[in-house]
Amino acid sequence: MTSCGKKIYIIILRSDTRAGKLFDVVLLVLILLSILSVFLESVSAVRERYYQLIHILERIFTILFTLEYLLRIYASHKPLRYISVFTE
């Protein structure tokens, strides 16, 4: 694994470091914001007024979560196992 891969591993897959804890907190905030945007989209008055903004946010969240997943695969010691096992 490259030094970049090791850094990504420490940040993304280990929560016992300062960077890992920060990453987890940022990820939790993004998840909550994503849930909030879906919730707000279900309210017709909000959806009518902020439709475009909500859809832009949904796209941004999708890109960020996809990037996070790809980085987890990249940093994993066994990428194929990481992809195929749902309990890690």
Side-chain angles (χ1 to χ4, degrees), residues 66-81:
T66 302
L67 178 62
E68 180 246 348
Y69 181 65
L70 292 173
L71 287 172
R72 285 180 183 272
I73 293 169
Y74 174 74
S76 175
H77 294 297
K78 297 180 180 179
L80 293 177
R81 179 179 160 89

Side-chain angles (χ1 to χ4, degrees), residues 37-50 54:
S37 72
V38 171
F39 172 75
L40 290 173
E41 185 181 22
S42 71
V43 179
S44 60
V46 174
R47 182 179 56 244
E48 289 173 15
R49 184 171 178 144
Y50 298 104
I54 291 170

Side-chain angles (χ1 to χ4, degrees), residues 12-43:
I12 293 179
L13 296 174
R14 293 190 47 198
S15 61
D16 60 342
T17 65
R18 186 179 185 116
K21 288 177 185 176
L22 178 62
F23 180 83
D24 288 347
V25 169
V26 169
L27 185 60
L28 284 172
V29 168
L30 288 173
I31 291 168
L32 290 173
L33 290 173
S34 176
I35 292 168
L36 179 62
S37 72
V38 171
F39 172 75
L40 290 173
E41 185 181 22
S42 71
V43 179

